């Protein structure tokens, strides 16, 4: 029941804080440096849990508490989300460091999550919530794999690798599996989340949101480009560096760490209803409350009530 102006300022404060945490473009610059400087465990926790506090903040607080301001800010936030998707993918494509590539891919993937939340549609919201989980699984697995390779070679540069599938077949298997899940290959988890986000956004009756969904599909294509580039330069082709011939493959502890993540990626991709059904009631309730507050805003807000009240006529009575 807040007036429009205080609601706008409060939403701006909440949205800025959560946008930095997501992170959204252009307040994303801390994330790649944080990932590169952090140890493997820190990167996994950051990708798997901490970044989701920003998207959860939008879903749980910023959007439901300030419905009028949120709806007014949708065009701006959707534009930033689409820029984040395309910018993150293009910058990831240009990287020569494996960990930086995965870090910039997070900017793009979380841009999809924000697009789903801003569509204000139940299907898109379910896809966004599922994609939060998907990102933690696939990107967390990729950070683990980069860390395992770094422990053996103490470098993350593509130029130092090539042909690793010949000496590290288990590493190659897990890298390809996790990358394809991150790309959004059908029957793996990433496909379900991205498809629901784009389908929910396309259902919108507003042209800008449908246009944003169309542009965002380019992010799916670019994800395949930069992740297949990483696979090609790392594990395929001839062994270009003699130091890599003596590398040991993944041990039992490393396989047992990665196997549950890959099983969850496959499970979500094949049977997504097991994860979508439990979340549906809570999301329906939140979205219904958002829409109800939006409808009640006009008569209960003093500012809007004054604006809606017809002005007194200055014309003399006839």
């Amino acid at each position: 029941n807040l007036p429009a102006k205080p609601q706008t300022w409060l939403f701006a404060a909440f949205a800025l804080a959560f946008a930095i945490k997501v992170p959204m473009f252009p307040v994303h610059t801390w994330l790649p440096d944080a990932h590169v400087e952090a140890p493997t465990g820190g990167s996994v926790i950051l990708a798997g849990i901490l970044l989701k506090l920003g998207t959860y903040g939008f879903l749980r607080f910023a959007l439901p508490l300030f419905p009028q301001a949120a709806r007014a800010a949708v065009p701006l936030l959707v534009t930033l989300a689409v820029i984040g998707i395309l910018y993150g993918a293009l910058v990831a494509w240009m990287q020569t460091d494996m960990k930086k590539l995965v870090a910039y891919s997070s900017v793009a993937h979380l841009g999809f999550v924000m697009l789903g939340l801003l569509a204000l549609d139940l299907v898109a919201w379910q896809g966004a919530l599922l994609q939060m989980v998907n990102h933690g699984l696939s990107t967390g697995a990729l950070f683990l794999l980069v860390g395992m390779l770094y422990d053996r070679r103490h470098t993350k540069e593509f130029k130092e690798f090539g042909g690793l599938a010949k000496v590290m077949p288990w590493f190659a298997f897990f890298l390809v599996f996790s990358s394809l899940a991150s790309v959004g290959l059908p029957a793996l988890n990433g496909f379900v989340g991205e498809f629901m986000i784009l389908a929910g956004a396309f259902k919108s009756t507003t042209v800008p949101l449908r246009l944003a969904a169309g542009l965002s599909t380019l992010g799916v294509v670019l994800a395949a480009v930069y992740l297949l580039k990483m696979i090609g330069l790392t594990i395929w082709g001839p062994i270009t560096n003699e130091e890599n011939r003596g590398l040991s493959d993944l041990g039992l502890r490393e396989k047992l760490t990665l196997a549950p993540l890959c099983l969850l990626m496959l499970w979500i991709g094949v049977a997504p209803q097991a994860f979508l059904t439990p979340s549906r009631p809570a999301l329906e309730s939140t979205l219904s409350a958002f829409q109800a507050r939006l409808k009640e805003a006009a008569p209960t807000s003093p500012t809007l009530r004054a604006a809606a009240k017809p002005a007194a006529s200055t014309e003399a009575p006839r």
Side-chain angles (χ1 to χ4, degrees):
N1 299 336
L2 285 172
K5 189 172 181 180
Q7 190 174 141
T8 300
W9 281 106
L10 285 168
F11 175 79
F14 273 73
L16 177 61
F18 293 137
I20 293 171
K21 189 63 180 174
V22 171
M24 293 182 70
F25 179 90
V27 289
H28 67 283
T29 52
W30 64 271
L31 182 63
D33 290 336
H35 273 310
V36 171
E37 297 298 329
T40 300
S43 294
V44 173
I45 292 173
L46 182 60
I49 300 175
L50 299 182
L51 298 183
K52 310 310 182 301
L53 298 179
T55 49
Y56 175 79
F58 272 102
L59 176 62
R60 184 64 182 85
F61 299 108
L63 294 176
L65 290 178
F66 314 108
Q68 295 169 264
R71 187 174 65 174
V74 161
L76 172 61
L77 293 176
V78 164
T79 301
L80 295 179
V82 174
I83 293 174
I85 292 170
L86 300 179
Y87 168 83
L90 289 171
V91 176
W93 186 10
M94 294 294 104
Q95 295 306 308
T96 60
D97 181 290
M98 290 181 69
K99 203 170 188 182
K100 276 191 176 180
L101 184 148
V102 180
Y104 276 105
S105 75
S106 293
V107 178
H109 287 151
L110 290 163
F112 272 107
V113 175
M114 287 305 303
L115 176 64
L117 296 178
L118 295 167
L120 304 178
D121 175 82
L122 182 60
V123 172
W125 273 22
Q126 283 197 284
L129 186 62
L130 186 63
Q131 195 65 3
M132 295 183 206
V133 178
N134 294 340
H135 176 261
L137 293 173
S138 56
T139 306
L142 289 173
F143 277 125
L144 283 171
L145 288 161
V146 173
M148 293 170 185
L149 189 58
Y150 182 79
D151 287 341
R152 289 161 169 79
R153 285 286 281 109
H154 302 290
T155 181
K156 303 183 291 290
E157 293 289 330
F158 290 123
K159 64 182 180 181
E160 297 292 332
F161 302 111
L164 292 184
K166 295 178 175 62
V167 294
M168 302 177 69
W170 278 107
F171 174 85
F173 167 77
F174 282 114
L175 183 67
V176 171
F177 192 97
S178 302
S179 297
L180 293 179
S182 186
V183 165
L185 183 74
L188 293 178
N189 59 338
F191 173 79
V192 181
E194 290 181 354
F195 181 83
M196 293 184 72
I197 289 170
L198 293 174
F202 272 120
K203 284 171 58 181
S204 173
T205 57
T206 60
V207 175
L209 192 56
R210 301 185 73 176
L211 177 62
L215 290 173
S216 298
T217 56
L218 295 175
V220 180
V221 178
L222 292 172
V225 171
Y226 63 73
L227 285 169
L228 292 177
K229 167 196 169 182
M230 180 181 71
I231 293 173
L233 294 178
T234 306
I235 62 176
W236 300 141
I239 297 177
T240 56
N241 191 326
E242 292 300 317
E243 292 184 46
N244 296 329
R245 292 189 182 277
L247 293 179
S248 60
D249 202 0
L250 300 184
L252 179 62
R253 176 176 58 87
E254 293 167 321
K255 294 175 188 175
L256 291 177
T257 301
L258 293 165
L261 300 178
C262 292
L263 287 174
L264 283 170
M265 295 178 210
L266 183 62
W267 185 11
I268 295 174
V270 174
Q273 286 302 328
F275 298 85
L276 294 173
T277 302
S279 68
R280 186 180 180 92
L283 291 175
E284 281 183 335
S285 174
T286 304
L287 185 60
S288 298
F290 174 86
Q291 293 170 342
R293 288 172 185 152
L294 205 56
K295 290 178 181 178
E296 295 170 1
T300 57
S301 171
T303 302
L304 295 181
R305 187 166 58 242
K309 185 178 179 180
S313 176
T314 56
E315 184 179 358
R318 300 189 178 187

